[in-house]
């Protein structure tokens, strides 16, 4: 006889304890059926402990619960537990139940270290760009919003829901984006997605199906964005970047380009805002060619020198797709982002999203909707803006004192700065940082394969940091590690 999962019984008796999977292979020899069952149960428990399925400290079901699950007498289970306690397999204490005893694990020889003269240290500090200070996540306020959202959620909210996302979140976002970012955002135009990369993947699929062959990207940016667009079947020519942002006047040079991906509020990673003339040129190009602008507003709320630059989408909502995300303002682990689409794209993007059945958690959507509607989101953004501005000021001050030969640019907004280096020193500095336990990225890491090392714009305005430079994410370390990360950075700079 083989017993599989001991499921909760349906006899009407109180259900207690945890499920426990045991393999009882036949009846062990004994003077009677009870002795045979007890020995079989003991063997099954020993085997579960030996193989590691029951780890030390695991609490076992009560004798009453396990007996009911297995269909045997409670005394049989109690006797088996008692004998295994005596043998040292289990422990039993009043108030804490019966648990698997802490047994000595066999020692395994540690792997020999590689035979090298020196071993590179694992990163102790991280100044990698792209991540907020996760220690600043507003746990208490988020929990309060989650409780309110859960208590007021309609029953149908626990179904799969529609592909566009919960109407509560789309409505809250429409109000917030119009007020804070200057976006024309009707709830019917908004589609919720699982991160900005997911949104970009959907847009790439839709554009390719529409016959678009090439989607221009800025000459400095994230390679994962370029790669997923290439996987969608699109060519990704580089649009040069200089001190005024992307050179949008050159979009017309490639007749196959039907769309462009840009970061106009805060170019990533050089840190420049797109010049007003170039914003207008981009919209003029889109209107003249029936093209589309994909606006990645990844950290638009965090402007330090003045009010945040308004979204490009406000200039022409039918020619611009606005991409926003909670990854920088709250945390990337939430996997919540949104697209504000031209009317003609809503149905196509929604259909593409439904085809891959990739829907963000309903409860997370409802929580974010409540978080925004209650004003907690605005308060959190203002608080983090002050925190990041202090970090930026501390970075600039420390570099001015300890590395006066380097120049810091791209500091008007965002969560990172560009530290310009003497020619030929970027790679040695990045390697020296790694040896010192500091993770940091060089500007070269973000350069488009076809882009030159130091593009020049109108009037010879070079992109800040477009040659040798570090892209320093000053938001990444928690407060406890910030001073150490800053000190490690200053030590490796020339």
């Amino acid at each position: 006889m083989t017993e599989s999962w001991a499921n909760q019984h349906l006899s009407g008796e109180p259900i207690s304890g945890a499920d426990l999977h045991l393999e009882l292979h036949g009846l062990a020899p004994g003077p009677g059926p009870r002795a045979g069952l007890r020995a079989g149960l003991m063997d099954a428990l020993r085997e579960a402990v030996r193989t590691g399925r029951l780890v030390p400290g695991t609490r076992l079901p009560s004798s009453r619960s396990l007996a009911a699950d297995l269909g045997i007498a409670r005394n049989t289970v109690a006797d088996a537990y008692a004998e295994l306690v005596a043998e040292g397999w289990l422990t039993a204490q009043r108030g804490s139940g019966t648990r698997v005893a802490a047994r000595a694990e066999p020692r395994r020889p540690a792997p020999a270290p590689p035979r090298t003269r020196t071993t590179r240290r694992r990163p102790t500090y991280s100044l990698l760009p792209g991540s907020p200070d996760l220690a600043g996540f507003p746990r208490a306020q988020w929990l309060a919003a989650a409780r309110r959202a859960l208590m007021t959620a309609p029953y149908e909210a626990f179904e799969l829901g529609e592909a566009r996302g919960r109407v509560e979140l789309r409505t809250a976002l429409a109000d917030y984006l119009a007020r804070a970012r200057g976006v024309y955002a009707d709830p019917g135009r908004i589609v919720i997605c699982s991160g900005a990369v997911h949104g970009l993947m959907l847009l790439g699929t839709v554009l390719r199906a529409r016959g678009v062959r090439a989607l221009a990207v800025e000459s400095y940016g994230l390679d994962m964005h370029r790669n997923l667009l290439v996987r969608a079947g699109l060519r990704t020519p580089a649009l040069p970047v200089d001190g005024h942002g992307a050179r949008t006047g050159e979009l017309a040079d490639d007749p196959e380009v039907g769309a462009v991906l840009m970061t106009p509020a805060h170019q990533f990673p050089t840190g420049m805002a797109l010049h007003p003339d170039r914003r207008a040129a981009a919209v003029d190009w889109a209107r003249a060619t029936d093209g589309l602008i994909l606006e990645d507003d990844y950290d638009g709320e965090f402007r330090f020198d003045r009010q945040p630059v308004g979204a490009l989408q406000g200039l022409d909502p039918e020619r611009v797709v606005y991409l926003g995300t909670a990854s920088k303002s709250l945390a990337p682990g939430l996997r919540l982002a949104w697209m504000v689409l031209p009317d003609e794209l809503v149905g196509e993007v929604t259909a593409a999203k439904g085809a891959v059945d990739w829907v963000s958690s309903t409860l997370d959507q409802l929580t974010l909707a409540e978080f925004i509607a209650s004003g907690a989101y605005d308060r959190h953004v203002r608080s983090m803006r002050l925190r990041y501005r202090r970090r930026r000021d501390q970075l600039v001050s420390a570099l001015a004192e300890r590395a006066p030969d380097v120049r810091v640019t791209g500091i008007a907004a965002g969560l990172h700065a560009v530290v310009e280096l003497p020619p030929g020193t970027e790679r040695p500095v990045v390697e020296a940082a790694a040896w010192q336990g500091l993770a940091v990225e060089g500007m070269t890491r973000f350069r488009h394969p076809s882009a030159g090392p130091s593009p020049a714009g109108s009037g010879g305005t070079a992109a800040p940091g477009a040659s040798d430079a570090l892209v320093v994410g000053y938001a990444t370390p928690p407060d406890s590690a910030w001073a150490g990360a800053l000190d490690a950075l200053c030590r490796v700079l020339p």
Side-chain angles (χ1 to χ4, degrees):
M1 174 181 76
T2 300
E3 292 286 348
S4 187
W5 280 99
N7 295 316
Q8 299 285 9
H9 56 79
L10 303 177
S11 63
E13 298 180 14
I15 298 176
S16 62
D19 285 344
L20 179 61
H21 176 73
L22 293 175
E23 299 287 348
L24 305 183
H25 298 287
L27 295 177
R34 179 178 167 188
L37 284 172
R38 182 180 69 242
L41 177 58
M42 291 170 61
D43 286 343
L45 286 167
R46 290 192 195 97
E47 183 65 16
V49 174
R50 266 193 216 101
T51 58
R53 289 197 300 107
L54 292 179
V55 299
T58 300
R59 183 169 182 170
L60 300 183
S62 67
S63 58
R64 180 189 297 275
S65 175
L66 186 56
D69 290 342
L70 297 177
I72 61 179
R74 180 185 178 187
N75 285 343
T76 300
V77 178
D79 290 346
Y81 278 1
E83 289 193 37
L84 291 173
V85 168
E87 293 177 10
W89 292 91
L90 306 177
T91 61
Q93 293 182 355
R94 185 179 298 276
S96 64
T98 303
R99 297 178 182 270
V100 177
R103 299 176 56 82
E105 295 290 336
R107 290 194 173 188
R108 296 174 183 170
R115 295 186 177 181
T116 58
R117 280 205 247 164
T118 57
T119 302
R120 180 175 297 198
R121 294 172 55 186
R122 296 182 61 183
T124 303
Y125 302 108
S126 174
L127 290 175
L128 297 176
S131 177
D133 180 0
L134 300 179
F137 184 82
R139 296 176 188 238
Q141 295 84 355
W142 185 262
L143 180 59
R147 285 173 173 163
R148 292 193 298 269
L150 185 60
M151 294 301 295
T152 58
Y155 295 132
E156 51 88 16
F158 300 100
E159 297 176 348
L160 284 178
E162 63 171 305
R164 284 186 301 170
R166 291 295 305 180
V167 66
E168 296 91 339
L169 178 55
R170 291 188 283 114
T171 301
L173 282 170
D175 292 342
Y176 171 78
L177 293 173
R179 169 173 53 82
R181 301 297 298 123
V183 173
Y184 179 79
D186 182 89
R189 290 174 172 257
I190 297 177
V191 173
I192 307 301
C193 44
S194 300
V197 168
H198 176 213
L200 196 56
M201 180 189 73
L202 295 173
L203 290 168
T205 300
V206 168
L207 290 174
R208 190 67 188 90
R210 281 179 152 232
V212 174
R213 295 183 179 182
L215 189 154
V217 297
E218 293 168 321
S219 57
Y220 285 81
L222 292 173
D223 57 355
M224 66 176 176
H225 290 174
R226 296 193 298 267
N227 293 339
L228 70 87
L229 292 170
V230 169
R231 286 196 294 271
L234 297 166
R235 188 167 59 84
T236 56
L239 181 65
V241 171
D242 61 27
H244 296 305
R247 284 156 42 181
T248 53
E250 299 182 21
L251 283 168
D253 293 351
D254 187 339
E256 284 194 346
V257 170
V260 58
L261 172 64
M262 295 194 301
T263 50
H266 186 226
Q267 203 284 324
F268 184 86
T270 64
M272 296 296 103
L274 187 63
H275 191 278
D277 291 345
R278 296 189 179 183
R279 291 164 68 94
V283 172
D284 289 345
W285 166 83
R287 290 170 175 169
T289 63
D290 197 27
L292 198 66
I293 301 168
L294 311 185
E295 178 181 13
D296 182 1
D297 193 34
Y298 65 100
D299 65 357
E301 295 102 335
F302 298 110
R303 187 91 192 178
F304 307 133
D305 60 343
R306 52 188 166 89
Q307 287 296 313
V309 176
L312 181 65
Q313 189 262 9
L315 295 179
D316 194 334
E318 300 306 325
R319 299 262 59 92
V320 182
V321 174
Y322 178 88
L323 289 156
T325 176
S327 292
K328 304 298 185 292
S329 57
L330 287 167
L334 291 177
R335 309 313 305 140
L336 284 171
W338 41 89
M339 295 179 283
V340 184
L341 300 162
D343 275 337
E344 65 176 11
L345 282 183
V346 173
E348 295 170 60
V349 171
T350 302
K353 184 170 187 273
V356 298
D357 194 26
W358 200 345
V359 180
S360 302
S361 163
T362 294
L363 290 180
D364 286 342
Q365 291 185 58
L366 292 174
T367 299
L368 181 56
E370 172 63 27
F371 196 72
I372 294 172
S374 68
Y377 187 82
D378 284 87
R379 291 191 294 273
H380 173 70
V381 167
R382 287 196 298 270
S383 173
M384 298 307 291
R385 188 185 295 135
L386 291 174
R387 178 183 296 200
Y388 295 146
R389 179 170 184 166
R390 284 195 296 268
R391 288 276 184 93
R392 181 206 65 174
D393 292 346
Q394 290 164 356
L395 170 68
V396 172
S397 177
L399 294 181
E401 178 182 350
R402 300 180 56 182
D405 293 336
V406 303
R407 178 175 173 235
V408 187
T409 61
I411 58 175
L415 313 184
H416 69 273
V418 175
V419 177
E420 298 186 10
L421 302 172
T425 62
E426 178 185 309
R427 183 173 178 180
V429 168
V430 171
E431 291 181 350
W435 287 106
Q436 293 294 321
L438 172 66
V440 68
E441 292 280 14
M443 179 63 72
T444 305
R445 164 73 174 75
F446 304 101
R447 185 186 302 153
H448 192 287
S450 67
S454 183
S458 303
T461 304
S467 186
D468 285 33
L470 299 180
V471 183
V472 176
Y474 51 76
T476 304
D479 286 342
S480 59
W482 169 237
L486 191 55
D487 182 65
L489 174 66
C490 290
R491 285 200 307 269
V492 299
L493 291 175

